Amino acid sequence: MDLETVREVVLARDRADLAQLDAGGAVLAGGTFLFSEPHDHLDRLIDITTLGWAPLRAHADGLEIAATCTLAELAGAAPGRELGAAVLRPEWPGTALFAQACRALLASHKIWRTATVGGNVCLSLPAGAVLGALVAMDATVVIWPRGGGERRISLRDFVTGPGENILATGAVVRSFLVPTASLLARTSFRKIALAPLGRSGAVVMGRRTADGRCAITVTAATTRPVVLEFDTVPTPFEVAAALADLEPELWFDDPHGAPDWRAHVTGLLAAEVAAELGEAA
C-alpha cells in the first residue's frame, strides 16, 4: 500500500540520522507491516537497513541478533552454519527454536526475506512467534534512546500488551543478546491454531539449561509473552498450577481463539513441552 502522506525517506548512514525520528516519523526496516495498512500520521521514514548491521554476531557471551536481521536469516541460523561473518557453534542446540518460531508465522518466502526480527518484536503482537522465541531464550534487548546512550532490558519486560511496548518516541531497537546458557539449552516447541493455516492460537516454548532449570514461555494465547520458571523439569501438576495462577485478563481474546480455549490448549501444550524437556535430561 502506498503511504501517500510520506514526503521523505531518509537512508540512515550513522546514528546521528536517527535523530530525525519524531511523532511523524517511523523506522523502516523490512516494511512488511508498515506498507500493509494506512499510517496517515507519518510524513517521514528512516531506513535503518543502510546502517550495515551484521545480522548475526557470535561472541564469547553468546549471540547478538541485529534488529535488521530478516526472518530468513534467523531461520537459517543452524548450529555450525556460516551466515555472513557469523559461524554459529555446533554446540548451540538452542538455535533450533529460531526456525520453529519463524515457521509459526504465516508468511511467504518473500516476506521471510524482507520482514525483520526487530519489526516482529516492535509490533508486539500476541502471535509474534519470533518475539516469543527470543523471550523463551532469555534475550536482552538493546535500545538506542533518543539523544544517545544505550539501554538494555530483559525482553520479557519489553511488551506491555497487544501491540504495546515500552519503546519511547525517537528510540530505536538496535539488537537482541541471547546468552550462551540459553544457546546451550535443550528446547521444545508446540503450536496450535483453529485452522491448518490459521494464525497461532497458542505457542508454547520450553528451555532446559545445563543446571536443570526450566522455563516455559507462553505466547499467542496471552496478551504478552509469559514465562513460567521452575528449578527442575516440572510435573504436569506443577505446570497446571503455574498456569492457573495467571491473571484471567492475560488470556487473549480475538477471532483466532477464545480465552477459555486458549487457556485449555496451552495447558495441554505446556505439559507436552515439559515432558519433552524431561526426556532430554
Side-chain angles (χ1 to χ4, degrees), residues 22 40 43 86-88 93 97 103 108 166 226 256 258 260-261 278:
D22 53 27
D40 295 338
D43 57 20
V87 177
L88 301 191
L97 205 58
R103 286 195 294 268
S108 68
I166 66 168
V226 173
H256 302 283
D260 57 347
W261 175 79

Side-chain angles (χ1 to χ4, degrees), residues 24-38:
V27 168
L28 172 64
T32 54
F33 170 76
L34 195 61
F35 290 103
S36 69
E37 61 182 52

Side-chain angles (χ1 to χ4, degrees), residues 113-131:
R113 294 179 181 178
T114 306
T116 62
V117 174
N120 189 264
V121 170
C122 290
L123 279 177
S124 302
L125 300 178
V130 173
L131 162 64

Side-chain angles (χ1 to χ4, degrees), residues 150-174:
E150 180 178 285
R151 183 184 180 193
R152 300 187 180 195
I153 65 167
S154 174
L155 187 57
R156 70 175 67 181
D157 299 323
F158 182 78
V159 177
T160 57
E164 300 174 350
N165 57 57
I166 66 168
L167 199 65
T169 300
V172 173
V173 170
R174 168 61 180 89

